[in-house]
């Protein structure tokens, strides 16, 4: 049982790290898919991830989930139960973190526990939808500060080398 819990945590933590730093932050600087799906003005997020079926939403979700899927394959032989537990928890967290759009608020004791465990609450995630420079880490808040630093550095790099990026394409 302990091995399953450890594998589930490893899957979620490493998956969130890779997804944040290899997809989410770079997409905010160089891409358009994530920003158009999640940060467009006057966006209605009510059930968008579950019910929309729009190809752009599905593509963004799959790209964000690829690190978790790849890690699942690698960790399966250590504990398939842990992989399933991690994937189920991860999916429920995706649904839960979008409940703010429905007017739901995290109860105080649960919010306190999430802060203590460094888990992103719906309110924190909703702040990211409204201000794309804060609230990084889809599952764990520990990635927010380094992601903000990376975001600033990538934006500086993009501005500095804009000529080379444009002329290369």
């Amino acid at each position: 049982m302990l091995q399953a819990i450890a594998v589930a945590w490893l899957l979620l933590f490493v998956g969130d790290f890779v997804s944040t730093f290899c997809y989410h932050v770079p997409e905010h600087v160089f891409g358009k898919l994530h920003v158009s799906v999640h940060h467009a003005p006057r966006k209605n997020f009510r059930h968008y991830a579950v019910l929309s079926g729009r190809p752009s939403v599905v593509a963004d979700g799959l790209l964000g989930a690829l690190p978790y899927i790849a890690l699942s394959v690698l960790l399966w032989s250590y504990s398939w139960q842990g992989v399933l537990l991690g994937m189920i928890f991860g999916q429920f967290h995706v649904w839960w973190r979008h409940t703010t759009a429905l007017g739901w608020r995290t109860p105080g004791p649960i919010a306190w526990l999430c802060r203590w465990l460094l888990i992103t609450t719906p309110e924190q995630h909703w702040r990211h939808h409204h201000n794309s420079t804060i609230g990084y880490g889809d599952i764990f808040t520990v990635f927010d500060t380094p992601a903000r630093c990376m975001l600033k550095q990538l934006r500086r790099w993009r501005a500095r080398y804009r000529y080379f990026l444009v002329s290369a394409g």
Side-chain angles (χ1 to χ4, degrees):
M1 179 65 166
L2 192 56
Q3 185 173 359
I5 292 169
V7 165
W9 182 87
L10 187 65
L11 170 67
L12 294 171
F13 192 80
V14 174
D16 195 19
F17 174 86
V18 174
S19 184
T20 297
F21 295 104
C22 294
Y23 175 67
H24 193 178
V25 175
E27 179 67 14
H28 273 272
V29 178
F30 301 109
K32 293 181 179 145
L33 175 63
H34 175 78
V35 174
S36 69
V37 169
H38 290 281
H39 301 288
R42 294 183 302 278
K43 196 71 146 171
N44 178 3
F45 293 100
R46 193 171 303 250
H47 296 8
Y48 81 94
V50 179
L51 301 177
S52 96
R54 287 183 28 227
S56 60
V57 174
V58 173
D60 183 58
L62 284 174
L63 289 169
L66 274 178
Y68 302 97
I69 295 166
L71 283 166
S72 293
V73 172
L74 293 174
L75 294 171
W76 188 265
S77 63
Y78 293 103
S79 173
W80 63 267
Q81 299 94 335
V83 168
L84 292 178
L85 179 66
M87 293 299 271
I88 290 168
F89 181 83
Q91 184 58 53
F92 280 124
H93 191 267
V94 168
W95 291 333
W96 178 60
R97 74 177 182 242
H98 290 99
T99 58
T100 304
L102 304 172
W104 190 81
R105 298 285 174 232
T106 305
I110 294 173
W112 177 87
L113 182 63
C114 286
R115 276 192 305 276
W116 188 73
L117 295 172
L118 303 173
I119 294 176
T120 301
T121 63
E123 292 80 9
Q124 290 163 319
H125 186 70
W126 193 245
R127 285 192 349 236
H128 177 72
H129 278 284
H130 290 287
N131 180 353
S132 63
T133 63
I134 63 171
Y136 284 92
D138 284 335
I139 298 175
F140 295 99
T141 60
V142 70
F143 299 126
D144 182 44
T145 300
R148 288 184 200 196
C149 292
M150 181 182 177
L151 180 72
K152 286 179 187 175
Q153 187 59 42
L154 287 177
R155 285 183 173 165
R156 278 190 226 119
W157 185 82
R158 183 187 68 191
R160 187 174 192 182
Y161 297 105
R162 173 163 271 153
Y163 172 75
F164 297 108
L165 292 171
V166 172
S167 62

